[in-house]
Structure formats: C-alpha cells, structure tokens
C-alpha cells in the first residue's frame, strides 16, 4: 500500500467546469491538494448527473462560485491513501457523495448525522479547510477525507452505484429515520425522476404498496411495468385523487419546482408524512387545517449520513436493486444537462469519466 512520502507533490487534474451562470461546461485544469494523512486519492471512473448540478452551475440559488466542476455521485478507484487511512486500500472501488467535510464536534456530527452539520463542506462549490475551492466528480480525480468515502460492494458496477450515492440515499434516509421501513406500509412517490425512480425501487424492496403520482399519464407503463409500482395516479384526475384520500402512510415529494401541497396532504392518513426532497427556492403554501385535521407532518430530509449510505448500498446489493441509467461521455454532458432540465432521461445520466477524453 502506498503511504505518505511520495504524496508531497501537488497533483493536477482536468475536469469540466462551468465558468458563469450559462452553466456550460468545458475543460478546466486545476491542482488537487496533497493527500493528507486521512485522505484518499481517487481516480474517477464515473459520476451521476443530479438535478442539483443544474441549480448550482446556473446559480439558481444565488451562491455559485466559478469555475465550478459539478458532480456529487462519484465512483472511482483508490490510487493512494494517507498514512492514517484504515478503511481503504489502493485498488478499492469507492464512492463519494454530496459532502466532503464537517466540523466533527457539533450535535449532528456526534450523532453520525453529519449531513445536518452547519459547517458541512459540499463536494463542490464550497471551500475546503485549507481555503481551496472544492471541485466535484466531473473530473479525472478527487482527494477526499476517508470519512466521506464509502466502499462500493463487490459485484456492483460503478455506473449502477453512482446514482445511489445521492438519489438512493436521499430516499433511504427518511424511510429509515421516520420508521417507515416495515413491510405493508402504503406510500407514494411524487415525481418520477432520478430520486423518484429510486424511491419506487427501494420502497418496493422494503415491502411497501407503492403509488406513483405524476402530472400526466406519460410514465404509467414505465412506473408499473418497469419499476414495479402498484398504482399510478395522475394528480389532475380529481375523482381518482379523492378515491385515494386518507390512504397513505407517507409521500416522498421529489418535485424540484414550486407546486401546491394541499392535494397531496389530503391523501395522507392520520399521522401521515409528506417528505420534501426537491430543492425549491420559492415559498410553498397550505392552509393549517390540512395538517391539523389528521395530525399530518410536512417535513424535509437531506441526503443521508455516511452510515446510512453504507447501509443503503448493502440493502441494494442484497436485493439486487439497480438504478435505471443512460451512460454518456463527457463531451455530451452539456446536452445531457439540457435534457435533464426537460426531464428527458430514464432516469439518471451517468458520465463515463474514465472513458472520456477530458482535455479536448
């Protein structure tokens, strides 16, 4: 195993970066920090494209810094490890998700829910402890602290694992935390994109009765035949929506744009939960009796902890769950981002980074 000593030289890598809010990505070469004692140097194999990547590269949330290399569903191979790295060795297939740092001392960190640390460091569009900008997985390599690296289970392909690191754990975490893992629950997934399609698969694997709620009939066959949903509900079909009133234990709402909540709140049983997962930067509305008369909860959940990520990967491996993906090369990434914005993907793009010419 290579240890410290040979690691003092700064490493260069090339990624594809946005330079401004047009969000167009092009090659960008930058240096990575030296591999510290607890760092893992990863050669990127592939990286999923998440809806958040669009928000970030286009500065939708008003906090973008450029140049920005996006990508936070990263699978790669360990090339070097620091002297204090215990969990990984050279050659391991590993994953890196949404976060690369936390304070380690606050209540969430101590409770192993570091995704709620107020000082968390995002995998890209953030600043690392050494003052350098963090850059994501649309690049040849990354250097990541071992706490934020997970082992990909043997037998799971890199491309299949990538979307699990954000989309998969985003759904698994609330089901786990809110005690919604037992068999026989009735749940719904609102919006059938990258997170939604994983929601159907994971909830079905937990033994739930799963309804997909969508704005049109377009994805009915896909939802039922391919993903294994039990029911399909079109949100504008008032009569059928009324037929589903008070029937659901939970709804996972993955819609990333402003939408009314009341039609969905009415579908929940007493103590039912509407769990928000879409990043929406305009206020949502509801009248309070909608939650009072039924003691219903509107809550949110944000990705998942490293512990949950490991659990979720094992869960998917045991049940042979896979993501439904379209693999593309880096030179197609701008078209892929445009298509994702129009929901024109089944259901997650994964960039074959290792098989792409990054320098162009």
């Amino acid at each position: 195993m290579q240890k410290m000593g040979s690691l003092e030289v700064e490493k260069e890598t090339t990624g594809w970066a946005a330079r401004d809010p047009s969000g167009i990505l092009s090659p960008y070469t930058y240096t990575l920090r030296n591999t510290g004692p607890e760092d893992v140097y990863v050669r990127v194999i592939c990286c999923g494209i998440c809806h958040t990547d669009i928000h970030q590269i286009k500065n939708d949330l008003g906090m973008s810094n450029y140049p920005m290399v996006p990508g936070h569903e990263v699978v790669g191979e360990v090339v070097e490890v620091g002297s204090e790295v215990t969990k990984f060795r050279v050659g391991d297939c590993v994953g890196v998700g949404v976060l690369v740092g936390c304070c380690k001392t606050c209540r969430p960190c101590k409770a192993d829910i570091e995704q709620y640390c107020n000082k968390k460091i995002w995998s890209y569009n953030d600043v690392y402890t050494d003052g350098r900008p963090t850059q994501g997985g649309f690049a040849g390599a990354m250097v990541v602290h071992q706490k934020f690296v997970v082992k990909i289970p043997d037998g799971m392909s890199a491309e299949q694992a990538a979307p699990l690191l954000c989309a998969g754990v985003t759904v698994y975490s609330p089901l786990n935390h809110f005690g919604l893992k037992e068999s026989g629950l009735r749940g719904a997934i609102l919006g059938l994109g990258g997170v939604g399609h994983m929601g159907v698969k994971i909830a079905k694997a937990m033994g739930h009765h799963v309804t997909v709620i969508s704005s049109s009939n377009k994805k009915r066959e896909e939802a039922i035949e391919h993903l294994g949903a039990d029911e399909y509900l079109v949100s504008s079909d008032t009569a059928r929506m009324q037929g589903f009133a008070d029937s659901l234990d939970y709804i996972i709402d993955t819609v990333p744009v402003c939408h009314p909540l009341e039609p969905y709140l009415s579908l929940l049983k007493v103590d039912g939960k509407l769990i928000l997962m879409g990043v929406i930067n305009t206020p949502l509305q509801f009248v309070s009796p909608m939650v009072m008369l039924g003691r219903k909860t509107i809550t949110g959940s944000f990705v998942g902890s490293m512990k949950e990520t490991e659990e979720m990967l094992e869960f998917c491996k045991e049940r042979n769950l896979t993501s439904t993906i379209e693999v593309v090369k880096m030179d197609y990434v701008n078209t892929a981002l445009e298509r994702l914005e129009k929901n024109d993907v089944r259901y997650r793009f994964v960039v074959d980074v290792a098989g792409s010419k990054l320098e162009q």
Side-chain angles (χ1 to χ4, degrees):
M1 197 188 297
Q2 278 183 283
K3 291 286 188 182
M4 295 296 291
S6 62
L7 314 188
E8 297 309 317
V9 189
E10 288 213 328
K11 295 173 277 284
E12 271 199 346
T13 193
T14 299
W16 278 47
R19 302 307 207 282
D20 56 53
S22 70
I24 292 165
L25 306 186
S26 57
Y28 168 62
T29 300
Y30 52 101
T31 58
L32 298 169
R33 71 172 183 274
N34 293 334
T35 311
E38 286 201 70
D39 285 336
V40 179
Y41 176 39
V42 179
R43 179 184 66 82
V44 177
I45 296 170
C46 63
C47 185
I49 307 183
C50 173
H51 204 276
T52 313
D53 295 328
I54 297 173
H55 284 309
Q56 293 281 18
I57 58 179
K58 298 208 160 178
N59 197 22
D60 289 345
L61 305 171
M63 297 182 299
S64 296
N65 298 294
Y66 302 96
M68 181 200 303
V69 176
H72 62 212
E73 296 182 336
V74 193
V75 177
E77 183 189 348
V78 176
V79 183
E80 277 177 341
V81 292
S83 55
E84 289 166 36
V85 171
T86 50
K87 297 200 303 192
F88 306 101
R89 50 189 56 223
V90 171
D92 281 354
C93 184
V94 297
V96 179
V98 178
L99 301 182
V100 293
C102 63
C103 80
K104 301 184 186 144
T105 56
C106 68
R107 204 168 64 97
C109 282
K110 289 201 161 129
D112 278 334
I113 47 170
E114 62 288 329
Q115 72 273 33
Y116 299 114
C117 169
N118 287 332
K119 295 186 176 151
K120 61 182 165 289
I121 301 173
W122 305 87
S123 334
Y124 68 87
N125 192 34
D126 208 342
V127 178
Y128 202 64
T129 50
D130 60 2
R132 291 173 188 245
T134 59
Q135 301 291 12
F138 291 7
M142 290 175 86
V143 174
V144 184
H145 188 284
Q146 66 173 342
K147 178 176 172 58
F148 294 92
V149 179
V150 284
K151 190 149 177 10
I152 302 299
D154 293 340
M156 194 182 268
S157 80
E159 286 82 7
Q160 281 299 341
L164 301 178
L165 298 168
C166 170
V169 75
T170 293
V171 175
Y172 182 87
S173 178
L175 293 175
N176 180 47
H177 172 73
F178 292 118
L180 298 168
K181 277 161 84 175
E182 79 236 38
S183 185
L185 293 175
R186 298 179 78 87
I189 309 292
L190 176 55
L192 200 54
V195 175
H197 100 282
M198 281 317 307
V200 176
K201 292 184 180 199
I202 288 173
K204 280 303 293 175
M206 287 176 176
H208 298 182
H209 179 282
V210 180
T211 300
V212 167
I213 309 174
S214 195
S215 55
S216 76
N217 243 323
K218 265 200 328 229
K219 295 180 179 174
R220 177 185 296 273
E221 188 191 343
E222 192 85 24
I224 290 173
E225 304 298 319
H226 298 283
L227 300 176
D230 299 286
E231 308 254 12
Y232 189 92
L233 189 54
V234 177
S235 51
S236 56
D237 183 342
T238 322
R240 279 207 77 216
M241 285 285 280
Q242 277 166 354
F244 272 77
D246 304 322
S247 70
L248 301 172
D249 294 293
Y250 67 86
I251 297 171
I252 284 181
D253 179 347
T254 73
V255 176
V257 291
C258 199
H259 58 288
L261 300 183
E262 293 178 6
Y264 309 109
L265 288 168
S266 66
L267 306 181
L268 294 170
K269 292 176 183 173
V270 170
D271 289 328
K273 291 181 168 52
L274 176 63
I275 305 165
L276 301 175
M277 314 239 117
V279 176
I280 304 168
N281 52 2
T282 50
L284 298 171
Q285 283 184 324
F286 62 94
V287 295
S288 63
M290 292 293 300
V291 290
M292 292 162 60
L293 305 174
R295 201 164 57 190
K296 297 172 185 182
T297 306
I298 298 173
T299 186
S301 177
F302 171 66
V303 287
S305 64
M306 297 314 296
K307 204 163 154 251
E308 284 173 322
T309 304
E310 286 170 356
E311 266 175 43
M312 175 274 313
L313 287 168
E314 273 313 310
F315 177 88
C316 291
K317 189 194 171 186
E318 275 166 28
R319 289 162 179 76
N320 209 12
L321 291 192
T322 55
S323 11
T324 305
I325 57 172
E326 181 177 332
V327 179
V328 298
K329 296 279 195 250
M330 192 65 90
D331 58 10
Y332 187 78
V333 73
N334 291 306
T335 310
L337 286 159
E338 267 171 47
R339 281 179 52 196
L340 174 57
E341 223 169 352
K342 297 192 282 234
N343 291 325
D344 174 23
V345 57
R346 295 284 184 277
Y347 279 91
R348 200 61 145 190
F349 282 115
V350 175
V351 182
D352 169 13
V353 177
S356 296
K357 209 167 153 297
L358 298 180
E359 279 81 10
Q360 297 278 308

